Structure formats: C-alpha cells, structure tokens
C-alpha cells in the first residue's frame, strides 16, 4: 500500500501501489502543464468519499512499498487522464483491463 502525502498533512492518503503509480503519471502531467484539478476517492472502510484540490503550488510526495515500478496499463492511464480533464476531476476508479480480441472465452 503506497502513500500520497498532500500539502503539510501528517496523515497520508493510502493508495495501492499500482493505482498510485498510474495516478502519479496523471498528476505529474497535469502539474507540468500548470493545471489545477480535483482528486476524489471513496473512503475505505467508511461511508463517503473525499476530494482534494491539486495545484502546482501544493507539495505532494509519493511513497511506494514496492521497489519496482509496475507495468503501466495505458487504457487505465487514459481513463484517469480523461477524468482529470473533465469538470469533475480525477476519480480514482478500479483498473480497466482490455481483453485482447479473440481471447475472450465463454463457458
């Protein structure tokens, strides 16, 4: 489980390493363009959701448990980028997995 430290908060936002790796790419891309946006997620183990405002002037730190970076799922990355470019901002969603054509087996 990775950690995202936002602003000067002592408590990290805990996000699974694979999701955090994809999120880091999207956030870095948006901030490199000097774009602000919101980031939302469902609160694990509790009711509700949380949203933060991400701005280039607000410090962020990404900490990963795994020493190796995961393989990047371009479809999931594109889904996150599309949400980042929407008026609702990034919503952290489950990974989208493409099934190669002809590989789907029905039983």
């Amino acid at each position: 489980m990775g950690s995202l430290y936002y602003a000067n908060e002592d408590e990290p936002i805990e996000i699974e390493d694979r999701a955090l790796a994809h999120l880091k790419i999207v956030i870095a891309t948006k901030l490199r363009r000097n774009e602000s946006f919101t980031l939302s997620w469902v609160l694990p183990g509790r009711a509700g959701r949380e949203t933060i405002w991400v701005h280039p002037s607000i410090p962020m730190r990404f900490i990963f448990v795994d020493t190796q970076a995961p393989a990047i799922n371009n479809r999931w990355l594109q889904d996150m980028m599309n949400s980042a470019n929407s008026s609702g901002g990034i919503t952290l969603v489950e990974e989208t997995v493409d099934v190669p054509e002809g590989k789907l087996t029905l039983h």
Side-chain angles (χ1 to χ4, degrees), residues 47-95:
R49 60 190 166 91
E50 190 166 347
T51 300
I52 58 173
W53 178 251
V54 180
H55 185 273
S57 68
I58 300 171
M60 298 181 82
R61 182 170 49 137
F62 300 84
I63 297 179
F64 298 90
V65 174
D66 293 331
T67 57
Q68 297 293 318
I72 297 301
N73 175 335
N74 288 324
R75 167 97 187 267
W76 194 21
L77 192 64
Q78 189 60 51
D79 288 347
M80 283 188 190
M81 187 58 79
N82 289 342
S83 72
N85 291 328
S86 73
S87 61
I90 300 173
T91 300
L92 195 54
V93 296
E94 294 293 321
E95 183 170 5

Side-chain angles (χ1 to χ4, degrees), residues 3-83:
S3 301
L4 171 61
Y5 284 87
Y6 177 73
N8 295 318
E9 295 289 324
D10 292 331
E11 293 248 350
I13 301 163
E14 292 186 343
I15 302 172
E16 187 270 324
D17 268 17
R18 183 164 174 75
L20 188 58
H22 286 74
L23 189 59
K24 182 187 89 167
I25 293 169
V26 174
I27 289 173
T29 300
K30 296 287 285 179
L31 295 180
R32 193 176 312 117
R33 296 176 185 160
N34 213 23
E35 298 173 359
S36 302
F37 54 95
T38 59
L39 168 61
S40 302
W41 62 93
V42 173
L43 296 171
R46 301 185 295 182
R49 60 190 166 91
E50 190 166 347
T51 300
I52 58 173
W53 178 251
V54 180
H55 185 273
S57 68
I58 300 171
M60 298 181 82
R61 182 170 49 137
F62 300 84
I63 297 179
F64 298 90
V65 174
D66 293 331
T67 57
Q68 297 293 318
I72 297 301
N73 175 335
N74 288 324
R75 167 97 187 267
W76 194 21
L77 192 64
Q78 189 60 51
D79 288 347
M80 283 188 190
M81 187 58 79
N82 289 342
S83 72

